[in-house]
Amino acid sequence: MASITLSIRRFIDRRLVPFLCPVLLLVVVTLAGSCSSEVQLPVIRLALQTEPTTADPVFAVDVSSGMLVSLIHQTLVCFDDDGRITPDLAESWELYPDGLTYVFKLGESGFADGSPVRASDVVFSLRRLLDPATLSPRWWVLEPVLGAKKYHSGGPFDEASISAPDDVTVVIRLERPTAHFLSLLSMPSASIVSYEMVAAAGKEYGRTPGGSGPWKLTRWSSGDELTLERNIYSSVKNVDVDGISLRIIPEPMTRIAEFEIGNIDILEVPRAELERWKSAGPALMEREELSVVYIGLNNSRPPFDDPRVRRAMNMAVDIETIIARVLFGAGRKAYGSIPPGLKGGQRGSDLYPYNPEKAAGLLAEAGYPDGFEVEIWQRENPEAGRILESVQAYLSRVGIKVKIVTREWGAFKQAVDHGSPDAFYLDWYADYPDAENFLMPLFHSSNRGGGGNRVLYSDSFVDSLLDAASSIADADKRLLVYMGVESTVYEDAPWIFLWFPVRYEVVSYRLKGYSIPVIFNSRRFTDISIR
Amino acid sequence: MLRFTARRLLMLVPILFGVVTVTFFLMYVMPGDPVLALAGERYDEETLESLRKEYGLDKPLHLQYVDYLSRLARFDLGRSFITGRPVSESIAERFPRTMLLALSAMAIAVIAGVLTGGLSAWGRYPWLGKTLMGLSLAGVSIPVFWLGLLLIHLFSIKLGIFPPSGYGGGSIRYLVLPALTLSFASMATIARVTRSGFLEAGAGDFVRTARAKGLAESKVIGKHVFRNALIPVVTIVGTDFGSYLSGSVLTETIFGWPGLGRFIVQAIMKRDFPVIQGSILFMAVMFVLVNLLVDLSYGMIDPRVREKEGPG
């Protein structure tokens, strides 16, 4: 043993030391060279958790893709930061007294290749969305258009439904009056593309888009970074920076590190980190999101086909405490499904304050004096796990034994869309800021399953009110109807109504003029300057 | 050697056929529906049906399998359901990044692991050996996720030496932290195996013989001890490198490294069948080839293996 150790020592002394010295020197030089700080360009640097799948408006179904589409393209009208409809491609518009005909006058704008946007491009883009051959899952955005459903089912296209009498005028005729039609036109799916560019790119348009929005995509390195430059031909002005860099950083802690060392400009603060950011660093911005978090109860079969059981579930869980302890205060208890950020949202009072005794009484009345066993499904997510464990503890106090079932997103979605689980934890994000976007998909019986009504709620009175409301032109009257629907549904308790989340962001010192928009697709970064 | 290589290459065919078949049928056994990811929210059954038809998912399973095999025979991996991009194009974009990370991590693991193992076998300072082996035990036990975040905290936030994440076009600054994180577990295993290899080989009769015939000490170590101690190390390198080449999901996620691992996991989440099938097939080819290289290298290191394989 002594001889072997001696040999190794000699070997190290004679061979390795001379070899290691230059290697160590190289490492030191590399490190020293890398200490220089990054050059900061007049570019907004953002981090995305998930990579967009496409920049083609007709195929964008996720938030990242929708945001990318909105940066690159224009719609006829769009939302401002507060969710109000404002002009985009259309300078002005008019709705005829019949409530069925919209006439849009286009302003001057240009696609990324310099060609002007013409009314025929608008007709092409909207028709492309509806065309059954396009296979767009979002064709329903234009469903209110005259003959749209027939055309999408293989019938002929009604040339009068979307037409361009001249280069700057677009006429859209509707099947029935639809009060939220302009909101639908503001969705990324209804973005305007250039006929020539789509024809030239074919299937590749999603990777090589060129709309008339304020930005044009110059580089897309998969899984890594997307780079956008200013589109000088666009009519969207107030662009004060050279470009946007969208980096894909899936891990929240890494995004925080990138923000801390000044490599990204806007950071969504994870709730678990709120305390730290409240006390230090740049000012914390907050905005109530247009979304609602709930535990869906399968209304179509026992035990949740009995409204008393559903109400008992709402009363048995101390939601205020969960918000304070698990969400660190980043939410507001929901008294319905319409978020407070929308007109008509959160108007009523709390029908289900925490009251386990009353909940137990309701359960006994419904024939479950000893409670029952139930599975609550969730998709993989540590925060959801913590929330459901709290819910599980509260429900056990009234005799309800909860088994938490965790599935990854694909399996979860399939099961929930088919109404398999008895209960599930989920949220709903608005596509456009309108009460209709919550009530119609979530509670109309025609939307049961994948349409959004995953609790299979069915009430003919609610259906008829919702059908009637969408054709009421007067905004205040329409709102009254929606508030009636909201209170009916809330009393029926098809969900455990949990909370409306609050979004927190911090912004680097170099960015000026940024505010959190109410809806993701109005995020265009046009009124921002860099110090 | 040539025959051996040819035989092993021929064996690739049944192995890959097995991989292709198992992956194909696994797709259909696992829960989840690829068209649901395509449809997003607020879809109707009609939309799902037309999407199924477009992607051939409405055909009977055996016909889909035959279609898939015939496409593979033409070296066509198909297009992603979700992005519409050709799968081969995506793999070609991602693989060099994975390769870069895997090679760097392996280089660090081998150099640092063999050095540490060698040093700890060196009996001059027993405390050094014990400390290094203690560290290597920690290295095997530390979860990658925690180590990655720790390195980011130290080297990016506190010291400001390396960027916390990104690819940076392959720049070495962006490579150091992920490569170090990925290498850690292998480095520790290599160190432990090297140490025991050195001690075992050093005590062998052939070393005593070599020394007795008056061979220089450096040759005894370099030619006899080192080479014999290296065989188990090569095995570890082979297995670990093979798995690194198929992407390292955790490391890639923490450091936002745009490699194959994250790509495949995202595809699995979205049930993007062509991407999953294409990537797994590619990974299988890589794994088999790396293992072949490892087997061939045994022959170079150990003459006994060479003699056994040579004539046959």
Side-chain angles (χ1 to χ4, degrees):
Chain A
M1 185 62 79
S3 62
I4 178 74
T5 55
L6 186 76
S7 317
I8 295 174
R9 197 164 67 208
R10 279 190 198 147
F11 178 72
I12 289 169
D13 288 347
R14 289 187 194 160
R15 294 286 172 93
L16 285 186
V17 170
F19 165 73
L20 276 182
C21 284
V23 170
L24 283 175
L25 190 69
L26 191 70
V27 170
V28 170
V29 169
T30 312
L31 291 185
S34 64
C35 284
S36 58
S37 62
E38 307 238 340
V39 181
Q40 300 207 333
L41 295 167
V43 167
I44 305 172
R45 300 154 312 163
L46 307 169
L48 293 179
Q49 183 176 356
T50 49
E51 182 173 6
T53 53
T54 178
D56 190 335
V58 295
F59 299 119
V61 294
D62 59 296
V63 172
S64 292
S65 305
M67 183 183 143
L68 179 64
V69 167
S70 304
L71 292 174
I72 296 170
H73 299 88
Q74 282 183 291
T75 37
L76 282 172
V77 289
C78 66
F79 302 116
D80 65 11
D81 276 359
D82 295 314
R84 285 179 300 249
I85 297 282
T86 52
D88 198 7
L89 252 180
E91 260 178 359
S92 63
W93 59 91
E94 186 190 351
L95 174 63
Y96 282 8
D98 62 1
L100 293 171
T101 311
Y102 276 97
V103 178
F104 296 90
K105 288 284 174 197
L106 305 188
E108 269 183 36
S109 194
F111 292 112
D113 64 353
S115 59
V117 182
R118 290 151 310 187
S120 56
D121 291 308
V122 178
V123 176
F124 165 73
S125 306
L126 300 183
R127 185 174 169 172
R128 177 172 179 253
L129 178 63
L130 279 174
D131 190 341
T134 307
L135 280 171
S136 168
R138 289 270 162 145
W139 71 273
W140 55 262
V141 166
L142 295 180
E143 198 189 346
V145 171
L146 181 68
K149 215 167 181 174
K150 266 188 213 149
Y151 175 51
H152 186 259
S153 309
F157 179 68
D158 183 345
E159 299 290 342
S161 60
I162 306 169
S163 57
D166 57 57
D167 262 358
V168 293
T169 311
V170 174
V171 179
I172 301 180
R173 293 194 173 82
L174 304 184
E175 189 95 43
R176 56 185 183 280
T178 307
H180 61 283
F181 185 65
L182 290 181
S183 292
L184 291 171
L185 281 185
S186 311
M187 286 181 62
S189 316
S191 295
I192 306 310
V193 293
S194 143
Y195 168 74
E196 280 80 17
M197 289 175 90
V198 169
K203 279 190 173 173
E204 297 300 318
Y205 185 78
R207 301 283 295 189
T208 54
S212 61
W215 309 101
K216 66 172 178 184
L217 183 68
T218 50
R219 194 174 74 95
W220 187 334
S221 166
S222 246
D224 180 29
E225 189 181 16
L226 287 86
T227 318
L228 299 121
E229 274 173 22
R230 199 151 39 158
N231 172 15
I232 52 170
Y233 306 106
S234 172
S235 64
V236 184
K237 299 299 172 200
N238 304 331
V239 179
D240 203 25
V241 288
D242 286 357
I244 298 179
S245 138
L246 295 167
R247 285 183 50 205
I248 322 295
I249 309 176
E251 167 54 36
M253 299 310 284
T254 314
R255 288 199 295 276
I256 292 175
E258 290 282 10
F259 182 83
E260 280 187 310
I261 62 169
N263 282 350
I264 57 173
D265 291 316
I266 300 172
L267 171 77
E268 185 188 350
V269 181
R271 285 190 268 262
E273 288 276 316
L274 267 180
E275 278 311 310
R276 180 157 81 91
W277 289 91
K278 272 180 185 164
S279 53
L284 201 59
M285 302 171 101
E286 66 172 87
R287 180 131 213 175
E288 281 184 313
E289 289 192 318
L290 292 190
S291 66
V292 58
V293 183
Y294 65 97
I295 292 176
L297 307 171
N298 191 326
N299 286 222
S300 70
R301 57 174 188 251
F304 300 128
D305 57 346
D306 186 333
R308 289 172 296 186
V309 178
R310 304 195 299 254
R311 288 186 196 120
M313 298 283 279
N314 274 278
M315 285 184 196
V317 182
D318 186 355
I319 292 160
E320 305 271 13
T321 303
I322 297 181
I323 293 173
R325 301 276 165 79
V326 187
L327 294 191
F328 304 94
R332 200 200 292 192
K333 186 177 178 186
Y335 310 155
S337 65
I338 308 175
L342 279 183
K343 272 187 185 168
Q346 193 80 333
R347 290 281 181 85
S349 53
D350 188 358
L351 292 184
Y352 310 111
Y354 176 53
N355 190 337
E357 292 78 24
K358 205 169 171 187
L362 275 173
L363 285 175
E365 205 180 292
Y368 300 100
D370 302 321
F372 47 82
E373 285 183 17
V374 65
E375 284 185 352
I376 303 185
W377 284 46
Q378 61 145 344
R379 62 186 137 166
E380 272 176 328
N381 173 343
E383 189 185 73
R386 288 195 293 275
I387 290 163
L388 285 189
E389 279 164 21
S390 312
V391 170
Q392 186 182 38
Y394 280 118
L395 289 177
S396 72
R397 292 184 194 171
V398 294
I400 298 172
K401 289 179 199 70
V402 172
K403 187 181 168 201
I404 300 170
V405 180
T406 306
R407 292 282 182 276
E408 54 78 46
W409 178 236
F412 175 82
K413 191 164 190 263
Q414 189 186 34
V416 166
D417 286 0
H418 285 94
S420 313
D422 288 327
F424 56 88
Y425 172 86
L426 197 60
D427 48 28
W428 179 266
Y429 277 76
D431 288 313
Y432 44 89
D434 194 304
E436 188 270 351
N437 192 217
F438 285 82
L439 298 174
M440 190 72 179
L442 293 171
F443 304 114
H444 196 286
S445 63
S446 65
N447 287 320
R448 278 182 294 179
N453 179 358
R454 294 177 164 117
V455 292
L456 311 178
Y457 176 74
S458 177
D459 183 304
S460 52
F461 177 62
V462 166
D463 285 357
S464 60
L465 283 182
L466 284 173
D467 290 335
S470 60
S471 53
I472 299 175
D474 184 304
D476 292 332
K477 279 185 192 160
R478 189 167 153 261
L479 196 61
L480 275 179
V481 179
Y482 283 139
M483 285 169 65
V485 174
E486 169 86 330
S487 64
T488 309
V489 170
Y490 186 43
E491 273 175 44
D492 260 357
W495 305 343
I496 302 181
F497 292 89
L498 294 178
W499 50 77
F500 301 114
V502 178
R503 183 186 180 91
Y504 290 90
E505 289 183 4
V506 279
V507 178
S508 71
Y509 292 110
R510 65 197 276 275
L511 227 61
K512 215 174 121 187
Y514 174 76
S515 63
I516 309 177
V518 72
I519 187 122
F520 71 94
N521 48 41
S522 67
R523 205 178 259 258
R524 276 184 162 173
F525 307 99
T526 46
D527 291 313
I528 291 176
S529 56
I530 292 178
R531 289 191 181 107
Chain B
M1 187 67 85
L2 205 63
R3 260 194 196 176
F4 172 71
T5 314
R7 208 166 57 216
R8 290 291 300 268
L9 283 175
L10 264 182
M11 269 171 66
L12 255 176
V13 179
I15 291 175
L16 293 184
F17 182 74
V19 168
V20 164
T21 309
V22 170
T23 327
F24 181 85
F25 289 103
L26 262 182
M27 298 288 99
Y28 293 88
V29 175
M30 68 178 180
D33 188 342
V35 293
L36 287 185
L38 278 166
E41 293 291 329
R42 291 189 81 168
Y43 58 82
D44 51 21
E45 278 305 317
E46 204 181 314
T47 306
L48 293 190
E49 280 317 307
S50 31
L51 286 172
R52 276 200 191 98
K53 206 170 165 193
E54 168 72 9
Y55 294 109
L57 294 165
D58 58 335
K59 289 185 193 166
L61 199 55
H62 65 277
L63 286 187
Q64 288 187 48
Y65 180 60
V66 172
D67 278 357
Y68 177 53
L69 287 185
S70 68
R71 267 195 290 115
L72 277 186
R74 297 191 303 267
F75 297 100
D76 175 10
L77 295 179
R79 277 175 180 267
S80 156
F81 286 167
I82 306 285
T83 64
R85 277 188 98 192
V87 176
S88 48
E89 202 178 278
S90 297
I91 293 178
E93 186 181 16
R94 301 261 183 164
F95 182 64
R97 303 162 178 175
T98 295
M99 185 75 170
L100 178 67
L101 182 60
L103 276 177
S104 325
M106 217 59 245
I108 297 174
V110 170
I111 294 172
V114 169
L115 269 180
T116 318
L119 276 175
S120 66
W122 185 28
R124 185 190 265 179
Y125 304 110
W127 59 268
L128 181 67
K130 280 180 187 155
T131 314
L132 287 175
M133 279 306 101
L135 280 177
S136 84
L137 185 67
V140 182
S141 328
I142 287 178
V144 169
F145 214 82
W146 185 76
L147 176 70
L149 292 177
L150 199 74
L151 291 180
I152 289 179
H153 188 76
L154 180 66
F155 289 103
S156 306
I157 299 180
K158 292 291 171 202
L159 300 175
I161 298 176
F162 299 115
S165 70
Y167 171 61
S171 139
I172 189 163
R173 292 184 55 212
Y174 288 83
L175 181 64
V176 176
L177 292 187
L180 202 61
T181 306
L182 186 58
S183 71
F184 222 66
S186 296
M187 188 199 304
T189 322
I190 290 173
R192 299 184 75 78
V193 169
T194 308
R195 179 187 146 89
S196 53
F198 261 77
L199 292 179
E200 199 180 311
D205 293 340
F206 59 96
V207 173
R208 198 175 43 209
T209 312
R211 206 168 277 137
K213 71 182 177 189
L215 211 61
E217 200 52 40
S218 59
K219 277 196 176 155
V220 173
I221 295 296
K223 216 170 173 182
H224 295 279
V225 179
F226 191 63
R227 277 175 88 154
N228 275 287
L230 218 58
I231 291 185
V233 173
V234 171
T235 313
I236 296 172
V237 170
T239 340
D240 285 1
F241 189 59
S243 68
Y244 288 178
L245 279 187
S246 47
S248 320
V249 183
L250 286 179
T251 311
E252 287 178 10
T253 304
I254 304 164
F255 294 100
W257 189 266
L260 266 184
R262 249 170 71 203
F263 179 64
I264 295 168
V265 167
Q266 280 157 3
I268 293 174
M269 291 295 184
K270 292 188 169 164
R271 304 291 187 274
D272 195 344
F273 287 0
V275 174
I276 305 174
Q277 289 159 340
S279 313
I280 290 185
L281 179 63
F282 179 78
M283 276 159 51
V285 174
M286 281 296 127
F287 206 86
V288 172
L289 287 183
V290 168
N291 274 297
L292 174 63
L293 285 180
V294 169
D295 287 352
L296 291 178
S297 69
Y298 286 151
M300 282 177 239
I301 298 166
D302 190 342
R304 286 169 302 184
V305 179
R306 196 162 49 220
E307 270 162 29
K308 223 168 27 182
E309 294 295 343

